[in-house]
Amino acid sequence: MRIGIVVDSACDLPGGYLEKNNLVLLPISVRIGDTVLPDNRDEAATLAFLEGPLSDQGAEAETTPYSSEQIRKLFLERLVTDFDQVFCMTITRTRSPLYDNAERASYAILNEYKPIRQAAGYNTPFSLRVIDTQNLFAAQAVSAVEAVRLRDSGATVPLMRERLETVAGNVHGYMVTRDLYYMRARARHKGDRSVGLFSAALGSALDIKPILHGYRGNTAPVAKIKGFDNAVQALFGFVGKRVTAGLMTPVVCVSYGGPLDELRALPGYQQLRDTCDKHGVALMEALMSLTGVVNVGKGAVTIGFADSPHTFST
C-alpha cells in the first residue's frame, strides 16, 4: 500500500527531510503589507527574510493556511492517485483553522475520488485520515517523524492510525522567545490578549524569559528565568533528563529562528546532544519556518518530544 504523509509549513523538520521522505507540504502564505511570501520551507528564503527589512514588520504579518477548496484540489488532482492512504497531520486546531479546513475537505475528497482513481487505473479504495498534532513548530514535527518511521517499518494502516493519535496526545512542546515586546505585538495583532503590556514591559526590563509549554492544544508558561541563555540552558537540561528517563518515541525535534550555528552555540545544547546520542535518541535540528518566525520572533527556540505527563523543573 502506498502511504502518503502530509504536513503544513509550520511543521519544523530539517532541511531536505520533506523531499527525502516523500512528504507533501500544505504551504502557508505570509502577507506583510503588500508583500506575500509563500512558506514552502525554503531555508534560504527564510534566512533572507530574517536578514532583510521585512522582518522588522513581522508582528503585523497575516498568515493564511490552505483553504478547504485548495486542499480538496490538491488531493483530487494529485494525491488520490499518488497514494492509497494519506495521513494529513496539521498544526494544532487551537491556533489555526487548518485542521478544520482539512476535515471539511476530506468529505468532498472521499465522495469524489473514485472516477479519478479509476481513470488512472486504480480500482482500489482511497482512504484519508486528518490528525490534529495538538502542537506547534518543532513539537508538531515529532508526530510527522513517527509517521515516517511507522510507514517505513511496514506498519499497517490501523496500527498507524492508533499510534499517531496516541503520540499526538503525548507530545510536549517547549519554547523560549527572545523578545516579549514582539510576542505582545504579535498577540495583539491576532486578537490574543495572553501577553499583557505590563508583563511584557516587566519581563523585558528585568530580562525575564518565560518558558512556554504546549500540550494537547494548550499553551502556558511553566517557568520564568532571568536571561535568555539561562532559560534555554535550563530547558535543554530538563529535556536531557526526560531523554534519560525514556521517551515514547526515539526523537527530540528542535527548531531555531535563525542560523543553526547560533542554536548549536547556545549553552547546554551540546550536553543535550550528547545525552541524546548516549540514549539512542535522534536530535533533529531545523531552521524555524517563516510562519513560526513571524509568530514568535527571531532567535526563538522550540523543542518537542513525546513523553508521559510530567512537570517542568530546573
Side-chain angles (χ1 to χ4, degrees), residues 107-163:
Y107 301 121
I109 293 163
L110 294 175
N111 282 329
E112 299 174 32
Y113 79 81
K114 287 184 179 178
I116 299 171
R117 272 179 71 88
Q118 289 172 352
Y122 299 105
N123 295 312
T124 53
F126 172 80
S127 297
L128 166 62
R129 184 77 164 198
V130 181
I131 295 176
D132 176 6
T133 67
Q134 303 180 51
N135 230 300
L136 305 157
F137 313 141
Q140 73 184 93
V142 175
S143 294
V145 172
E146 179 66 1
V148 170
R149 187 190 71 79
L150 290 167
R151 181 197 62 189
D152 293 352
S153 70
T156 64
V157 168
L159 176 61
M160 288 188 68
R161 289 174 182 166
E162 180 180 0
R163 175 67 173 169

Side-chain angles (χ1 to χ4, degrees), residues 261-283:
D261 285 347
E262 293 181 8
L263 168 68
R264 294 167 188 145
L266 290 174
Y269 188 73
Q270 183 59 50
Q271 184 176 354
L272 173 59
R273 176 181 281 175
D274 293 342
T275 300
C276 288
D277 287 344
K278 179 180 178 180
H279 293 277
V281 171
L283 181 60

Side-chain angles (χ1 to χ4, degrees), residues 72-84:
R72 171 186 168 275
K73 184 176 180 181
L74 171 65
F75 272 80
L76 294 179
E77 290 185 353
R78 174 183 163 195
L79 302 189
V80 299
T81 54
D82 284 357
F83 304 105
D84 305 309

